[in-house]
Every structure is written in structure tokens, then in C-alpha cells.
Amino acid sequence: MFFVDTIEIEGLGNRHYLVGGALAAVAVDPPRDIDQVIAAAARRGVRITHVVETHIHNDYVTGGLELARVTGAAYLVPAAAQVAFARIPVHDGDVIEIDEELSVRALATPGHTPHHTAYVLEEAGTPVAAFTGGSLLMGTVGRPDLVEPRLTENLARAQHASAHRLAAELPDDTSILPTHGFGSFCSSGQTEGGASTVGREKAVNAALVQDVDSFVAGLLAGLEDVPAYYAHMGPANSAGPDPVDLTAPRRADAAEVGVRLAAGEWVVDLRNRVAFAEGHVAGSFNFEADGKIATYLAWMIPWGKPVTLLAETPQQLAEAQRELVRVGIDHPAAAATGSPSDWLSPGQVPASFRRAVFADLAAELSRAEVPPVVLDVRRDSERAGGYVEGSVHIPVHALHQRIDEVPAGQVWVHCAGGMRAGIAASLLDAAGRDVVAVDDGFGRAAQAGLTVRAAAR
């Protein structure tokens, strides 16, 4: 008998795995905060004997090297990956014995990266699951454009070939257990469903139902912007990440918060967007702790710039810090907990801005002598599905660099649901703009009477 425990990191859209038998286990693509993996092994009463990487990751800092050091496990990394630390190089066809009648076989699956390797879990010689990393995902495949632009088309073709190799060599009932694809920007498309098998992927996955030329053309046409912080993840993982540091940051009082703002540092308010809009420290930015804070903060902040975190509670602060270390934002410069009254110096008052829904925007456009600016901060692919007529488009991840492009006047900012509009509104508010955050689902824009246009093809 074997087990597979899934460690899901919702904020980054990834899954990590601990798989084993009665006595021993292997960790697959572990997250940087390795205490989760160690706790899972302790609950099972097994020893982690091996740590394996499917590839050098571009979207998060791995915990593999540190987990292997702490547990004494063998650290296995694809042989062709260029790394600066000692590891056991994995070649196509290598078999790793895990427990009685339980083994993992390496299967070269280039495409997401040139060295990508999947690991097939075999019980008594029969494949039962495949840890496919960033190769064959659920309904899609991993992006081929994260390594080097000149390699993108060749890697896209390799993705097609790797998907077909997996489909040819594995039984239809083999479970597909990818690392990426659950909201990760490493996925080339939207993952469908929470579980899958080789047989299901044969019926629905574009890599397996389309010829290679059609697949590659569609894959390349659908690629969107790469999060800026990805440029720092691969080098960190190749060099060997530092051990994770989750010690509490130094506490800042109101005076220090003001000094850090005046110095141009980022002060990030982790409260929900409703509370932020009602009252906040002027100049601070709102990245909700319950949103994709790691992805969007790491994407937007100038790399290496000090960040101070403002949280409602110590728990909220600790959870956000854990999210951020996963993407290499290792230690906040300072932090404070409480509410704006705790973070403002005597005599200062909280800043605020208005929240609204699409019906309010429709009413404003119909009655205003000078219509407001409507700013759409969704991604290109989302806007292609329809947009409010006359709106300006700047994706939220680019807004901090392009605020000067937002036309003069009051700005009503929207996204698909409200979270990114909240981030954008905080950036605009900090820049001194008169802003209204549209906290509403985009599907209600047309229902509210706004004219929604389809993008030209």
C-alpha cells in the first residue's frame, strides 16, 4: 500500500507531494517552508529518504535543498539542470526504491524546461501515479517560454512530444499529479478539475488531441506576461536557496511607518480591501492577505526594495510572511499590527476612497458632465473576452510603472472581481489621484447597462 499527501499552496497555484509506504517517503517539488512537509511525514510516521525536483522552478523558491539537509534525504535533481550545489543527478530511466515494492522511475519530459523530468510512482512494477511537475497538467501543459525566448518554440514542440510519451508509456488509469496548474502562471492555460488520469487527458488535453503544429500555434498565441519576479526564482534555485527564515520582523511604531513612507519604501497594508478603502495610512498599498499576495506583490515591487507590512493581527502577519518567503521576499524590513489608528502619528487622519459597483458606474457615466476615466486592470486575455466601451486598459501588474498614462480626472478602476481593483485603487490613491474602486464581478457590467464590447480579432 502507498499514500500520496498533497500540500496545496493556493496563493501560488501549486501542489507539492509527499508519497511513500509504511516506512519511507519521497517529497516531490517541496515548497520553501519545509515544516509543512516534515509535519506531513510525522503524521504518517515515515522517514523522508528522498527529495526530488521535476525541474528548476521559475515561480517559487524551492525547499528541496534545505529539506534534504534537515532530514538527511538524498536530493535528486535532473542531471541536465545547471546547479551550484551537490545533488544526485537524475537521468531518464533511473529508478529510486522508496519502500517495499514501491519505487519511482524518472521519465525525461522536456518542454517546460529543457531538463524537465517526471517521476512515475510504481507499485510492484505497475505505474499508479505520475508526478508531472510542469509538463502534462490537467487539461493543459506548462508554459514553454520561461527559460529563454529563443527556445520557446522548440520547447513547445517538446511539450507535445513529452505529453505523448507519457500517454504512450502509462496506463490510462494512472493518476496525473502535476505541481503547476492550479492558478500558477507557470501553466499555459486554465486547469480543469481537481483530479485527472492519463486516460482523461487523452480525451481533453490539447497536447494529446491536436497535431503538433496546431498545438504549438495555439500554445504560443495564448501566452501572457510573465510575472517579473520569475526572473529571480530560477537563479536562486540554481544557486541553492538560503534556509527559510520565518522569524518575526522588527516592530515599527507610527513614526517609523511615516519615515519609511517618506523614504519611498513600500508600506503594504494586508487588510481586506473594504477595510482599506474605509481608512488607511496615506501612501500605503493594499495587497490583501487573503488574495494572491505573493504573486502580485512580488510581481510589482521593485526587486529588493524594503517592504513594511501592516496587519490586523500577528497571525495575519505571520501567514503573509510565509507566503512571501516562498517567492524570495525573505524578511520584511519592519511590521506593525492593529489598525490605522495605531499606524498614524498624532494629528494624522486616515486616507480613504469610495467603493462602488458597476451599476454605480453606469449611473455616473449617464449623469456626469465630465465622464470619469474607466480603468480596466485585467490581463490581456480577460479583456479580449469583452470590455467596457471607452475604458483604458493597463494590467494591474504594470500600473505602478504606468500611472502617468492614466488620463486626468476621477478614475473608476475595475478588474474581474474586485481584488486587483483594490490593489490598483491603492496605487492610484497613493499617487494622489481621485479614485473609486469598483468592487463587483465583471459579468454584471452589461447587466448594469454599460456597453460591453468584444475585442477585435
Side-chain angles (χ1 to χ4, degrees), residues 287-357:
F287 290 81
E288 293 180 291
D290 293 337
K292 295 177 77 70
I293 178 176
T295 294
Y296 284 105
L297 180 55
W299 196 338
M300 297 168 68
I301 190 171
W303 198 253
K305 181 176 280 290
V307 60
T308 294
L309 300 179
L310 306 179
E312 288 180 300
T313 64
Q315 180 181 359
Q316 186 182 63
L317 174 62
E319 291 174 353
Q321 187 178 350
R322 180 178 287 269
E323 288 276 346
L324 294 176
V325 298
R326 294 169 179 156
V327 292
I329 300 178
D330 277 6
H331 210 266
T337 57
S339 66
S341 62
D342 302 302
W343 309 328
L344 291 166
S345 297
Q348 291 182 317
V349 296
S352 63
F353 53 79
R354 182 182 165 198
R355 293 171 55 250
V357 295

Coordinates of all heavy atoms in Angstrom, one line a residue, residues 287-357:
F287 N -2.5 45.1 -0.5 CA -2.4 43.7 -1.0 C -3.0 42.8 0.0 O -2.4 42.5 1.1 CB -0.9 43.3 -1.3 CG -0.3 44.0 -2.4 CD1 0.2 45.3 -2.3 CD2 -0.2 43.4 -3.7 CE1 0.8 46.0 -3.3 CE2 0.4 44.1 -4.8 CZ 0.9 45.4 -4.6
E288 N -4.2 42.4 -0.2 CA -5.0 41.6 0.8 C -4.2 40.3 1.1 O -3.8 39.6 0.2 CB -6.4 41.2 0.2 CG -7.3 42.4 0.1 CD -8.6 42.0 -0.5 OE1 -8.7 41.6 -1.6 OE2 -9.6 42.1 0.3
A289 N -4.2 40.0 2.4 CA -3.5 38.8 2.9 C -4.3 37.6 2.3 O -3.6 36.5 2.1 CB -3.5 38.7 4.4
D290 N -5.6 37.7 2.1 CA -6.3 36.6 1.6 C -6.3 36.5 0.1 O -7.0 35.6 -0.5 CB -7.8 36.7 2.1 CG -7.9 36.5 3.6 OD1 -7.0 35.9 4.2 OD2 -8.9 37.0 4.2
G291 N -5.7 37.4 -0.6 CA -5.6 37.3 -2.0 C -4.3 36.7 -2.5 O -3.7 36.0 -1.7
K292 N -3.9 36.9 -3.7 CA -2.7 36.3 -4.2 C -1.5 37.3 -3.9 O -0.9 37.8 -4.8 CB -2.8 36.0 -5.7 CG -3.8 35.0 -6.0 CD -4.0 34.8 -7.5 CE -2.8 34.0 -8.1 NZ -2.9 32.6 -7.7
I293 N -1.3 37.5 -2.6 CA -0.3 38.5 -2.2 C 1.1 38.2 -2.7 O 1.8 39.1 -3.2 CB -0.3 38.6 -0.6 CG1 0.8 39.7 -0.2 CG2 -0.1 37.3 0.1 CD1 0.9 40.0 1.2
A294 N 1.5 36.9 -2.6 CA 2.9 36.6 -3.1 C 3.0 36.9 -4.6 O 4.0 37.5 -5.0 CB 3.2 35.1 -2.8
T295 N 2.1 36.5 -5.4 CA 2.2 36.7 -6.8 C 2.2 38.2 -7.1 O 3.1 38.6 -7.8 CB 1.0 36.0 -7.5 OG1 1.1 34.6 -7.4 CG2 1.0 36.3 -9.0
Y296 N 1.2 38.9 -6.7 CA 1.1 40.3 -7.1 C 2.1 41.2 -6.5 O 2.6 42.2 -7.1 CB -0.3 40.8 -7.0 CG -1.2 40.2 -8.1 CD1 -2.1 39.2 -7.8 CD2 -1.1 40.6 -9.4 CE1 -2.9 38.6 -8.8 CE2 -1.9 40.1 -10.4 CZ -2.7 39.1 -10.1 OH -3.5 38.5 -11.1
L297 N 2.4 41.1 -5.2 CA 3.4 41.9 -4.6 C 4.7 41.7 -5.1 O 5.5 42.6 -5.5 CB 3.4 41.7 -3.0 CG 4.4 42.5 -2.3 CD1 4.2 44.0 -2.5 CD2 4.3 42.3 -0.8
A298 N 5.1 40.4 -5.3 CA 6.4 40.1 -5.9 C 6.5 40.5 -7.3 O 7.6 40.9 -7.8 CB 6.7 38.6 -5.8
W299 N 5.4 40.5 -8.0 CA 5.4 40.9 -9.4 C 5.6 42.4 -9.5 O 6.3 42.9 -10.5 CB 4.0 40.5 -10.0 CG 3.9 40.5 -11.5 CD1 4.7 41.2 -12.4 CD2 3.0 39.8 -12.3 NE1 4.3 41.0 -13.7 CE2 3.2 40.1 -13.7 CE3 1.9 39.0 -12.0 CZ2 2.5 39.6 -14.7 CZ3 1.1 38.5 -13.0 CH2 1.4 38.8 -14.4
M300 N 5.1 43.2 -8.6 CA 5.0 44.6 -8.8 C 6.1 45.4 -8.0 O 6.5 46.5 -8.5 CB 3.6 45.1 -8.3 CG 2.5 44.6 -9.2 SD 0.8 44.8 -8.5 CE 0.7 46.6 -8.7
I301 N 6.6 44.9 -6.9 CA 7.5 45.7 -6.1 C 8.9 45.6 -6.8 O 9.3 44.6 -7.3 CB 7.6 45.1 -4.7 CG1 8.4 46.0 -3.8 CG2 8.2 43.7 -4.7 CD1 8.4 45.7 -2.3
P302 N 9.6 46.8 -6.9 CA 10.9 46.8 -7.4 C 11.8 45.8 -6.6 O 11.8 45.8 -5.4 CB 11.4 48.2 -7.2 CG 10.1 49.0 -7.2 CD 9.1 48.1 -6.5
W303 N 12.4 44.8 -7.3 CA 13.1 43.7 -6.6 C 14.1 44.2 -5.6 O 15.0 45.0 -6.0 CB 13.7 42.7 -7.6 CG 13.9 41.4 -6.9 CD1 15.1 40.8 -6.6 CD2 12.9 40.4 -6.5 NE1 14.9 39.6 -6.0 CE2 13.6 39.4 -5.9 CE3 11.5 40.4 -6.6 CZ2 12.9 38.2 -5.4 CZ3 10.9 39.3 -6.0 CH2 11.6 38.2 -5.5
G304 N 14.0 43.8 -4.4 CA 15.0 44.2 -3.3 C 14.6 45.4 -2.5 O 15.2 45.7 -1.5
K305 N 13.5 46.1 -2.9 CA 13.1 47.2 -2.2 C 12.5 46.8 -0.8 O 11.8 45.8 -0.7 CB 12.0 48.0 -3.0 CG 11.5 49.3 -2.2 CD 10.5 50.1 -3.1 CE 11.2 50.9 -4.1 NZ 12.0 52.1 -3.5
P306 N 12.9 47.5 0.3 CA 12.4 47.1 1.6 C 10.8 47.2 1.6 O 10.3 48.1 1.0 CB 13.0 48.2 2.5 CG 14.2 48.6 1.8 CD 13.9 48.6 0.3
V307 N 10.2 46.3 2.3 CA 8.8 46.3 2.5 C 8.4 46.3 4.0 O 9.0 45.5 4.7 CB 8.1 45.2 1.7 CG1 8.6 43.8 2.2 CG2 6.6 45.2 1.8
T308 N 7.5 47.1 4.4 CA 7.0 47.1 5.7 C 5.5 46.6 5.6 O 4.7 47.1 4.8 CB 7.0 48.5 6.4 OG1 8.4 48.9 6.5 CG2 6.3 48.5 7.7
L309 N 5.2 45.6 6.5 CA 3.8 45.0 6.4 C 3.0 45.6 7.6 O 3.4 45.6 8.7 CB 3.9 43.5 6.5 CG 4.7 42.8 5.4 CD1 4.8 41.3 5.7 CD2 4.1 43.1 4.1
L310 N 1.7 45.9 7.3 CA 0.8 46.3 8.3 C -0.3 45.3 8.3 O -1.0 45.0 7.3 CB 0.2 47.7 7.9 CG 1.2 48.9 7.7 CD1 0.4 50.1 7.3 CD2 2.1 49.1 8.9
A311 N -0.6 44.7 9.5 CA -1.5 43.6 9.6 C -2.5 43.9 10.7 O -2.2 44.6 11.7 CB -0.8 42.3 9.8
E312 N -3.6 43.2 10.6 CA -4.6 43.3 11.7 C -4.2 42.6 12.9 O -4.4 43.0 14.1 CB -6.0 42.8 11.3 CG -6.7 43.7 10.3 CD -8.0 43.2 9.9 OE1 -8.1 42.1 9.3 OE2 -9.0 43.9 10.1
T313 N -3.6 41.4 12.7 CA -3.2 40.5 13.8 C -1.8 39.9 13.6 O -1.4 39.8 12.4 CB -4.2 39.3 14.0 OG1 -4.1 38.5 12.8 CG2 -5.6 39.9 14.2
P314 N -1.2 39.4 14.6 CA 0.1 38.7 14.4 C 0.0 37.5 13.5 O 0.9 37.2 12.8 CB 0.5 38.3 15.9 CG -0.1 39.4 16.7 CD -1.5 39.7 16.1
Q315 N -1.2 36.8 13.6 CA -1.4 35.7 12.8 C -1.5 36.0 11.3 O -0.9 35.4 10.4 CB -2.7 34.9 13.2 CG -3.0 33.7 12.3 CD -4.2 33.0 12.7 OE1 -4.9 33.4 13.6 NE2 -4.6 31.9 12.0
Q316 N -2.2 37.1 11.0 CA -2.2 37.6 9.6 C -0.8 38.0 9.1 O -0.5 37.6 8.0 CB -3.2 38.8 9.5 CG -3.4 39.3 8.1 CD -4.3 40.5 8.0 OE1 -4.0 41.6 8.6 NE2 -5.5 40.3 7.4
L317 N -0.1 38.6 9.9 CA 1.3 39.0 9.6 C 2.1 37.7 9.3 O 2.9 37.6 8.3 CB 1.9 39.8 10.7 CG 3.4 40.2 10.6 CD1 3.6 41.0 9.3 CD2 3.9 40.9 11.8
A318 N 2.1 36.7 10.2 CA 2.9 35.5 10.0 C 2.5 34.8 8.8 O 3.4 34.2 8.1 CB 2.7 34.6 11.3
E319 N 1.2 34.7 8.5 CA 0.8 34.0 7.3 C 1.3 34.7 6.0 O 1.7 34.1 5.0 CB -0.7 33.8 7.3 CG -1.2 32.9 8.3 CD -2.8 32.9 8.4 OE1 -3.4 33.7 7.8 OE2 -3.3 32.0 9.2
A320 N 1.2 36.0 6.0 CA 1.7 36.8 4.9 C 3.2 36.6 4.7 O 3.7 36.5 3.6 CB 1.3 38.2 5.0
Q321 N 3.9 36.6 5.8 CA 5.4 36.4 5.7 C 5.7 35.1 5.2 O 6.6 34.9 4.3 CB 6.0 36.6 7.1 CG 7.5 36.6 7.1 CD 8.0 36.8 8.5 OE1 7.3 37.1 9.5 NE2 9.3 36.6 8.7
R322 N 4.9 34.1 5.5 CA 5.1 32.7 5.0 C 4.9 32.7 3.5 O 5.6 32.1 2.7 CB 4.2 31.7 5.7 CG 4.3 30.3 5.2 CD 3.4 29.4 6.0 NE 3.9 29.1 7.3 CZ 4.6 28.1 7.7 NH1 5.1 27.3 6.8 NH2 5.0 28.0 9.0
E323 N 3.8 33.4 3.0 CA 3.6 33.5 1.6 C 4.8 34.1 0.9 O 5.2 33.7 -0.2 CB 2.3 34.3 1.3 CG 1.0 33.6 1.7 CD 0.5 32.7 0.6 OE1 1.0 32.7 -0.5 OE2 -0.4 31.8 0.9
L324 N 5.3 35.2 1.4 CA 6.3 36.0 0.7 C 7.7 35.2 0.7 O 8.4 35.4 -0.3 CB 6.5 37.3 1.4 CG 5.2 38.2 1.3 CD1 5.4 39.5 2.0 CD2 4.9 38.5 -0.2
V325 N 8.0 34.5 1.7 CA 9.3 33.8 1.6 C 9.3 32.7 0.5 O 10.4 32.4 -0.1 CB 9.7 33.1 2.9 CG1 9.9 34.1 4.0 CG2 8.7 32.0 3.3
R326 N 8.1 32.3 0.1 CA 8.0 31.3 -1.0 C 8.5 31.9 -2.3 O 8.8 31.1 -3.2 CB 6.6 30.8 -1.1 CG 6.2 30.0 0.1 CD 4.7 29.7 0.1 NE 4.2 28.9 1.2 CZ 3.0 28.9 1.7 NH1 2.1 29.7 1.2 NH2 2.7 28.1 2.7
V327 N 8.5 33.2 -2.4 CA 8.9 33.8 -3.7 C 10.1 34.7 -3.4 O 10.4 35.6 -4.2 CB 7.7 34.7 -4.3 CG1 6.6 33.7 -4.8 CG2 7.2 35.7 -3.3
G328 N 10.8 34.5 -2.4 CA 12.1 35.1 -2.2 C 12.1 36.5 -1.5 O 13.1 37.2 -1.5
I329 N 10.9 36.9 -1.0 CA 10.9 38.2 -0.2 C 11.1 37.7 1.2 O 10.1 37.3 1.9 CB 9.6 38.9 -0.4 CG1 9.4 39.3 -1.9 CG2 9.5 40.1 0.5 CD1 8.1 40.0 -2.2
D330 N 12.4 37.6 1.6 CA 12.7 36.8 2.7 C 12.4 37.4 4.1 O 12.1 36.7 5.0 CB 14.2 36.5 2.7 CG 14.5 35.3 1.8 OD1 13.6 34.9 1.1 OD2 15.7 34.9 1.7
H331 N 12.5 38.7 4.3 CA 12.3 39.2 5.6 C 11.9 40.7 5.5 O 12.6 41.5 5.0 CB 13.6 39.1 6.5 CG 13.3 39.0 7.9 ND1 13.3 40.0 8.8 CD2 13.0 37.9 8.7 CE1 13.0 39.6 10.0 NE2 12.8 38.3 10.0
P332 N 10.6 41.0 5.9 CA 10.2 42.4 5.9 C 11.1 43.3 6.7 O 11.7 42.9 7.7 CB 8.8 42.3 6.5 CG 8.4 40.9 6.4 CD 9.6 40.1 6.5
A333 N 11.3 44.5 6.2 CA 12.1 45.5 6.9 C 11.5 45.8 8.3 O 12.3 46.0 9.3 CB 12.2 46.8 6.1
A334 N 10.2 45.8 8.4 CA 9.5 46.1 9.6 C 8.1 45.7 9.5 O 7.6 45.3 8.4 CB 9.7 47.5 10.0
A335 N 7.4 45.7 10.6 CA 5.9 45.3 10.6 C 5.2 46.0 11.7 O 5.9 46.4 12.7 CB 5.8 43.8 10.6
A336 N 3.9 46.1 11.6 CA 3.1 46.6 12.7 C 1.7 45.9 12.6 O 1.3 45.5 11.5 CB 2.9 48.1 12.6
T337 N 1.1 45.8 13.7 CA -0.2 45.2 13.8 C -1.2 46.2 14.4 O -0.8 47.1 15.1 CB -0.2 43.8 14.5 OG1 0.3 44.1 15.9 CG2 0.6 42.8 13.9
G338 N -2.5 45.9 14.1 CA -3.5 46.7 14.7 C -4.4 47.3 13.6 O -5.0 46.6 12.8
S339 N -4.5 48.7 13.6 CA -5.4 49.4 12.7 C -4.8 50.7 12.4 O -3.8 51.1 13.0 CB -6.8 49.6 13.4 OG -6.7 50.5 14.5
P340 N -5.3 51.5 11.4 CA -4.7 52.8 11.1 C -4.5 53.7 12.3 O -3.5 54.5 12.3 CB -5.7 53.4 10.1 CG -6.3 52.2 9.4 CD -6.4 51.1 10.5
S341 N -5.3 53.6 13.3 CA -5.1 54.5 14.5 C -3.8 54.2 15.2 O -3.2 55.0 15.8 CB -6.3 54.3 15.4 OG -6.3 53.0 15.9
D342 N -3.3 52.9 15.0 CA -2.0 52.5 15.6 C -0.9 52.9 14.7 O 0.3 53.0 15.2 CB -2.0 51.0 15.8 CG -3.1 50.6 16.7 OD1 -3.2 51.1 17.9 OD2 -3.9 49.7 16.3
W343 N -1.1 53.2 13.4 CA 0.0 53.3 12.5 C 0.2 54.8 12.1 O 1.1 55.1 11.3 CB -0.3 52.5 11.2 CG -0.6 51.1 11.5 CD1 -0.1 50.3 12.5 CD2 -1.5 50.2 10.8 NE1 -0.6 49.0 12.5 CE2 -1.5 48.9 11.4 CE3 -2.3 50.4 9.7 CZ2 -2.2 47.9 11.0 CZ3 -3.0 49.3 9.2 CH2 -3.0 48.0 9.9
L344 N -0.7 55.7 12.6 CA -0.7 57.1 12.2 C -0.2 57.9 13.4 O -0.5 57.6 14.6 CB -2.1 57.6 11.8 CG -2.6 57.1 10.5 CD1 -4.1 57.4 10.4 CD2 -1.8 57.7 9.3
S345 N 0.7 58.9 13.1 CA 1.2 59.7 14.2 C 0.1 60.7 14.7 O -0.9 60.9 14.0 CB 2.4 60.5 13.7 OG 3.5 59.7 13.3
P346 N 0.3 61.2 15.9 CA -0.8 62.1 16.4 C -1.0 63.3 15.4 O -0.1 63.9 14.9 CB -0.1 62.6 17.7 CG 0.8 61.5 18.1 CD 1.3 60.9 16.9
G347 N -2.3 63.6 15.2 CA -2.7 64.6 14.3 C -3.0 64.2 12.9 O -3.6 64.9 12.1
Q348 N -2.5 63.0 12.5 CA -2.8 62.5 11.2 C -4.1 61.8 11.2 O -4.6 61.3 12.2 CB -1.7 61.5 10.8 CG -0.3 62.1 10.5 CD 0.7 61.0 10.1 OE1 0.7 59.9 10.6 NE2 1.5 61.4 9.1
V349 N -4.8 61.9 10.0 CA -6.1 61.2 9.9 C -6.0 60.2 8.7 O -5.2 60.3 7.8 CB -7.2 62.2 9.5 CG1 -7.4 63.2 10.7 CG2 -6.9 63.0 8.2
P350 N -6.8 59.1 8.8 CA -6.7 58.1 7.8 C -7.1 58.6 6.4 O -8.0 59.5 6.3 CB -7.6 57.0 8.3 CG -7.8 57.3 9.7 CD -7.7 58.7 9.9
A351 N -6.5 58.2 5.4 CA -7.0 58.4 4.0 C -8.1 57.4 3.7 O -8.2 56.3 4.3 CB -5.8 58.3 3.0
S352 N -8.9 57.7 2.7 CA -9.9 56.8 2.2 C -10.3 57.1 0.8 O -9.9 58.1 0.2 CB -11.2 56.9 3.2 OG -11.7 58.2 3.0
F353 N -11.0 56.1 0.2 CA -11.6 56.4 -1.1 C -12.9 55.6 -1.2 O -13.2 54.7 -0.4 CB -10.6 56.0 -2.2 CG -10.0 54.6 -2.2 CD1 -10.8 53.5 -2.6 CD2 -8.7 54.4 -1.7 CE1 -10.2 52.2 -2.5 CE2 -8.2 53.2 -1.7 CZ -8.9 52.1 -2.1
R354 N -13.7 55.9 -2.2 CA -15.0 55.3 -2.4 C -14.9 53.9 -3.0 O -14.1 53.7 -3.9 CB -15.9 56.3 -3.2 CG -17.3 55.8 -3.4 CD -18.0 56.8 -4.3 NE -19.3 56.3 -4.8 CZ -19.9 56.8 -5.9 NH1 -19.4 57.8 -6.5 NH2 -21.0 56.2 -6.3
R355 N -15.9 53.1 -2.7 CA -16.1 51.8 -3.3 C -17.4 51.8 -4.0 O -18.3 52.5 -3.6 CB -16.0 50.6 -2.4 CG -14.7 50.3 -1.8 CD -14.8 49.3 -0.7 NE -15.4 48.1 -1.1 CZ -16.6 47.6 -0.7 NH1 -17.3 48.4 0.1 NH2 -17.0 46.5 -1.1
A356 N -17.6 51.1 -5.1 CA -18.9 51.1 -5.9 C -19.0 49.8 -6.6 O -18.2 48.9 -6.6 CB -18.9 52.3 -6.9
V357 N -20.1 49.7 -7.3 CA -20.4 48.5 -8.2 C -20.6 49.1 -9.6 O -20.7 50.3 -9.8 CB -21.6 47.7 -7.7 CG1 -21.3 47.1 -6.3 CG2 -22.9 48.6 -7.6

